[in-house]
Amino acid sequence: MSLAYEGRADTMQDALRRAANMPGPHITLREILATIGDHGPLILCAVLSVPFLLPVSIPGVSTVFGLAILLLGLGITLNRMPWLPRQIMDRKINAAKLSGVLARGIDIVARIETAIRPRLGLLTQGTVAGRVNGLAIVAGAVLLMLPLGLVPFSNTLPACAIMLLCIGMTQRDGALVLGGYAMLIATVAYFSVLAYAAMAAGRGLATLLGSG
């Protein structure tokens, strides 16, 4: 089934508010998707990236949301309705913690939405743009899922890239899409510096132990 990214009356703030007000001690991704409704995969990816923008740890979120964003990104790239496995859709998440994070994320989204306007249509319109941007979302999800939870900004940078890409595509704002690519490049550069520093430290330790 093909995906259509048409303009919608509701904003992402509205979608976040509905998701943040879901009742119950636990909620699942299936319930979140039903609450968001017809906003589609792009808005869902943006909503799922919100918890990674804040310094809060919610058990189970990293794996479930990261995989969901990855699979949704593949669906966007292939221009097909994405399939999500039951293990991801029905994984229980602490509702109180997630609702608090989503509510705080509304302020972030509000600041982004004040700057939104249609521009640089070449980056948001057409099959080629959709597939290239979808691949960028997949890349962001892969970077998001790397086991670097204790490293500062390791989740924030790729999550910001995903959010900017998704909102830019839904609102036909190529400037936001460019911002998403800039954040992806910043993430890769940051992780490369970390990897180089780790390798240099390893070599230094090996030299120290060898000389001893």
Side-chain angles (χ1 to χ4, degrees):
M1 183 184 300
S2 295
L3 299 175
Y5 307 126
E6 302 163 309
R8 303 182 188 279
D10 285 351
T11 66
M12 187 178 163
Q13 292 183 62
D14 298 322
L16 278 173
R17 286 191 179 94
R18 288 200 302 275
N21 291 326
M22 293 176 63
H26 297 92
I27 57 177
T28 65
L29 185 56
R30 188 184 304 278
E31 293 168 335
I32 294 173
L33 180 56
T35 298
I36 292 172
D38 64 354
H39 280 279
L42 285 167
I43 291 295
L44 180 57
C45 280
V47 170
L48 296 182
S49 70
V50 169
F52 300 103
L53 297 174
L54 300 168
V56 178
S57 176
I58 306 174
V61 161
S62 180
T63 301
V64 174
F65 284 15
L67 279 173
I69 293 171
L70 176 63
L71 295 173
L72 289 166
L74 287 174
I76 293 166
T77 302
L78 299 173
N79 198 35
R80 294 290 185 269
M81 189 62 68
W83 170 82
L84 297 175
R86 182 179 57 81
Q87 291 86 345
I88 294 177
M89 293 290 283
D90 296 328
R91 176 76 173 270
K92 292 184 177 181
I93 301 167
N94 187 292
K97 290 185 177 181
L98 182 60
S99 295
V101 170
L102 293 180
R104 290 168 60 187
I106 292 173
D107 293 334
I108 297 174
V109 172
R111 288 194 290 269
I112 294 175
E113 289 186 339
T114 58
I116 290 176
R117 68 176 186 272
R119 50 191 163 178
L120 302 177
L122 183 66
L123 298 176
T124 62
Q125 299 174 10
T127 302
V128 174
R131 291 186 174 179
V132 172
N133 293 337
L135 284 174
I137 293 171
V138 171
V142 171
L143 293 170
L144 188 66
M145 294 172 63
L146 292 177
L148 300 172
L150 298 179
V151 178
F153 308 114
S154 61
N155 286 337
T156 304
L157 293 175
C160 187
I162 292 168
M163 176 174 284
L164 291 175
L165 285 164
C166 292
I167 297 179
M169 290 177 70
T170 58
Q171 302 300 318
R172 306 300 189 193
D173 190 338
L176 285 186
V177 171
L178 276 180
Y181 280 107
M183 294 304 298
L184 274 182
I185 293 172
T187 303
V188 173
Y190 180 51
F191 286 179
S192 298
V193 170
L194 290 177
Y196 178 80
M199 291 174 60
R203 288 195 298 265
L205 181 59
T207 301
L208 180 62
L209 293 175
S211 62

